[in-house]
Each structure stands twice: as structure tokens, then as C-alpha cells.
Amino acid sequence: MKLPSSSATDLHKKNMRHMISMKDFTTQEMDDMMALMALLKQARKDNAIPPLFKNKSVGMIFEAGSTRTRVSFEVAATLLGGHGLFLSPRDIHLGAKESIDDTARVLSRMCDIVMARTNDPDTVDALCRMSTVPVINGLDTRFHPTQMLADLFTIKEHMPEGKKLSDLTLAFMGDATDVCRSLLLTCTKYGMNFKQIGPKKYHMEEEWLKMADEFCKETGANYEITEDLSAIESCDVVYGDSFYWVTQLDEKEERLKAFMPDYVITEALMQRAKPGAMLLHCLPANDKEEVTREALEGNYSVAFDEAENRLTAQMAILVYFTHKYTKKPDEALIKHHETEINNFLEKL
Ligand code: CP
């Protein structure tokens, strides 16, 4: 018996997009995603979210731990009428007993979209190569695009009346992490100015700066990579992230020595930024290291709004990347199949 490989979703979708980095999207596309976020956020506020992901599933591969990304994708799928499957390497064969390619092929036949947080960027690239459904990068060692969408949206929500994102300057404090790199590229692509303020040893690599140079030429944005704390004085947004990642624990002491106390986000540091400057942090935060509890709880801090907007972003991402492939179920056809199946079952 030969049946088509998928009924509810079309395999090998036309013009299918993956989401590996925000730099791959135009300003208009970023604006569209944020407009969708605003609509979905209002629908959630009204307790009236339309079932735009009904009967759909997002396969969520997590090679590394997560609170926000995991919870936000799973809750977003549920709120939109669908389902999220948590798939850790302990639960599936990923790369050990089964190749990434075959994993992608199988997930594509059962899920409508795949989200992956991987330790190795090659894994997410391999998933994209073989997947016939959209793949969303839930953070690799290069980029964190879903965080970027939540961040831009949060800044937009809190920026002063009459300002545009492209009027603002964001200062990232500390190491050239995946979030720092993503912010450099997302900000300059969008037309926002960017600064990384931290010790020279941990400055952004040349390869990413070259990419940002191209974006700056297109949008008129600029960036500055500096050790000089006075660079914060012209900044509208101050952004924090951990001084080391879980894979860098062996460097922890050396890093803390390099970053502390100068590059810690404190209330005093926030006072040095532009009047009305806001504080973002991708979280999780260590309030004994990169940011003080007082700063995190300050009235300029929007870090927890930012965390909640991860959910707003994931709702928009699930809808944005799958809506073109959604077929409205044909009620008459459902009835036909129900009758056929019931007739068969009655004979058992
Ligand atoms: N910011 C962020 O990605 O948080 P999680 O690691 O908890 O997902």
C-alpha cells in the first residue's frame, strides 16, 4: 500500500524559510514578525488567542539546558492550539544511534516545524539541509535569533514616544557571546547603533565585524567595540549577559577577574547611561557577577518583560513560519473518512 508521505503538511514546501540568524531577514521581515507579535500579545491579553497552530506540532531538540526557550516554545504551541515535543539527546537518537540527516527527515514527516538548541552549529545546519519543515535556531554557539526578536520588540515597547529603533544605541556589557554577536548583527542590520564594552581580550571577532560593516553601509548604523566605560554615556539600552557559559567553567576565575568589577551592571553604571536608558538581560542572570540585584530590580530594568516576550516571539515564530502551509481541514472530507473508518470498525 503506497500512500502520500504526508497529508496535513506538504513536504518540500515552496519558498520555505529557516531561522538561523536574524541577519538573514530584511528590516521589513523583522517588522512583520514584530507586528505579528503585537497582534498575538494583544490576543493573549484578551484571553482570545486564535488557534493558528491547531493540530500542529513543534519538535523541540534541546542538547543544552533552557528555561525560557523551552517553556516559551511549548506554551506558545499550546496557546495556539498545537503541541510542543521536548526532545533531548536522552530521549531521541540524535547523532548517536541515528544521523542528524535521518533525524531531520523523520521529524519533518511528523512535525510541522523544528526548533533546535544545539552545542554544535553543524547540527542545526544539517537539520536545515535535510528538513522539509522550517527549522528554528534556539541558540547555537553563533546566534540566538529568537532572543533577538524578543529583545527588539521589548525595546520598542519601552522606548520613548516618538523614537524609532534606528534612533537608539545599545551597549552590550562584557564578552562577545552568541547574544552579543547576534545583537551586533541584528542592530546594525536594523539600523540601530551598537557598542560592545568589555576587556580587549573578549572583544568581537573580526569575521563578525566585517559582516556588520556591510550592514552599516546599508543602514547608516555604526558600532564601537571598546574597553572604555565612558562609551555607555551615549547609550539608550544597556544589555547584560553571563560572563561565561557552562562550557567555559574552566575559564571562570580568569574571566571574572577580567570583567569584575569594571564591567558589572550596577545602579551607578545605569546612571552613567543616557537619561531614561533601559536595562535588558537575556537571563539567566547571576546577580553576584555580571549584574547586581539592585540593577536588575531597578525601575529602568525590563529584563522580565523581555523574558515574557520570549513567549510573544515564539507564538509569532510558530505562526509566521508555518501559516503558508496550513490547509483548512475540509469538514465534508473529515465526515467521509469518519464514516469509512466507523464502517470498517463495526465489522471488526
Ligand atoms: N535567554 C535564554 O535563552 O534563556 P534559556 O537559556 O533559559 O532558554
Side-chain angles (χ1 to χ4, degrees):
M1 183 164 52
K2 194 160 167 52
L3 289 172
S5 54
S6 173
S7 55
T9 57
D10 296 319
L11 292 182
H12 303 290
K13 298 175 169 69
K14 281 197 194 94
N15 306 322
M16 188 183 71
R17 297 284 299 272
H18 300 300
M19 188 189 209
I20 298 306
S21 167
M22 280 305 273
K23 74 176 170 50
D24 304 329
F25 295 88
T26 63
T27 309
Q28 182 59 54
E29 286 166 338
M30 293 187 214
D31 281 338
D32 290 344
M33 287 184 220
M34 285 192 275
L36 187 54
M37 284 174 73
L39 292 168
L40 288 162
K41 187 161 184 168
Q42 186 59 49
R44 179 167 176 247
K45 210 169 165 184
D46 294 342
N47 193 26
I49 301 175
L52 296 166
F53 198 65
K54 190 172 176 205
N55 294 337
K56 291 188 187 294
S57 297
V58 50
M60 309 186 303
I61 297 172
F62 278 99
E63 285 191 318
S66 163
T67 299
R68 279 144 290 274
T69 310
R70 191 250 163 107
V71 175
S72 56
F73 265 105
E74 192 162 336
V75 172
T78 304
L79 288 173
L80 291 160
H83 177 62
L85 297 92
F86 177 68
L87 309 169
S88 84
R90 281 201 326 197
D91 310 306
I92 58 171
H93 302 300
L94 188 76
K97 276 174 78 181
E98 188 166 27
S99 69
I100 309 292
D101 286 7
D102 284 357
T103 304
R105 293 161 79 173
V106 172
L107 290 183
S108 297
R109 286 173 178 245
M110 300 186 193
C111 297
D112 301 275
I113 184 165
V114 171
M115 192 286 316
R117 170 168 288 195
T118 59
N119 292 324
D120 181 350
D122 288 349
T123 305
V124 80
D125 289 344
L127 286 168
C128 289
R129 207 171 45 245
M130 291 309 290
S131 179
T132 54
V133 297
V135 174
I136 308 299
N137 181 4
L139 169 66
D140 63 16
T141 50
R142 302 165 300 184
F143 308 118
H144 199 355
T146 67
Q147 179 75 52
M148 293 304 104
L149 199 51
D151 291 349
L152 286 189
F153 187 83
T154 306
I155 297 168
K156 240 173 116 113
E157 281 185 320
H158 292 278
M159 66 190 178
E161 192 93 8
K163 288 269 186 198
K164 302 190 294 298
L165 283 174
S166 53
D167 297 330
L168 307 183
T169 299
L170 179 147
F172 182 95
M173 300 300 300
D175 181 23
T177 60
D178 49 90
V179 170
C180 177
R181 187 179 304 131
S182 298
L183 284 166
L184 165 77
L185 299 176
T186 307
C187 289
T188 53
K189 177 108 195 218
Y190 198 90
M192 261 173 91
N193 301 324
F194 173 87
K195 299 187 187 205
Q196 180 196 358
I197 308 177
K200 202 172 173 53
K201 182 173 177 197
Y202 299 96
H203 282 179
M204 187 77 67
E205 303 88 340
E206 202 57 38
E207 145 186 32
W208 309 109
L209 296 179
K210 280 199 184 119
M211 222 178 269
D213 285 336
E214 292 306 307
F215 296 149
C216 288
K217 268 188 227 156
E218 284 166 27
T219 62
N222 60 61
Y223 67 80
E224 183 184 352
I225 312 293
T226 180
E227 291 188 294
D228 183 1
L229 277 171
S230 70
I232 205 155
E233 286 159 17
S234 57
C235 293
D236 307 272
V237 182
V238 180
Y239 199 111
D241 190 1
S242 176
F243 288 149
Y244 54 90
W245 183 235
V246 284
T247 54
Q248 295 165 327
L249 288 177
D250 54 336
E251 297 172 32
K252 179 177 164 182
E253 292 314 316
E254 185 192 343
R255 284 172 166 266
L256 291 183
K257 218 168 138 193
F259 291 108
M260 293 175 73
D262 289 357
Y263 301 102
V264 176
I265 302 174
T266 59
E267 289 204 283
L269 188 89
M270 288 304 299
Q271 297 312 321
R272 288 184 71 176
K274 266 168 87 171
M278 63 182 102
L279 167 62
L280 272 79
H281 192 304
C282 54
L283 305 180
N286 187 328
D287 62 14
K288 302 282 180 292
E289 295 175 356
E290 76 276 3
V291 62
T292 62
R293 178 53 50 186
E294 292 71 30
L296 206 53
E297 303 291 350
N299 57 10
Y300 42 75
S301 170
V302 296
F304 292 95
D305 289 350
E306 179 189 5
E308 184 181 337
N309 276 332
R310 299 296 307 282
L311 173 60
T312 317
Q314 317 315 20
M315 286 197 290
I317 288 166
L318 292 180
V319 175
Y320 184 89
F321 285 91
T322 62
H323 76 104
K324 283 190 189 139
Y325 316 115
T326 302
K327 282 184 194 164
K328 215 172 153 51
D330 181 328
E331 292 301 326
L333 207 49
I334 292 173
K335 194 77 211 155
H336 161 77
H337 286 297
E338 190 179 17
T339 308
E340 240 189 9
I341 293 165
N342 280 334
N343 288 346
F344 169 74
L345 291 174
E346 273 166 24
K347 284 187 224 143
L348 292 182

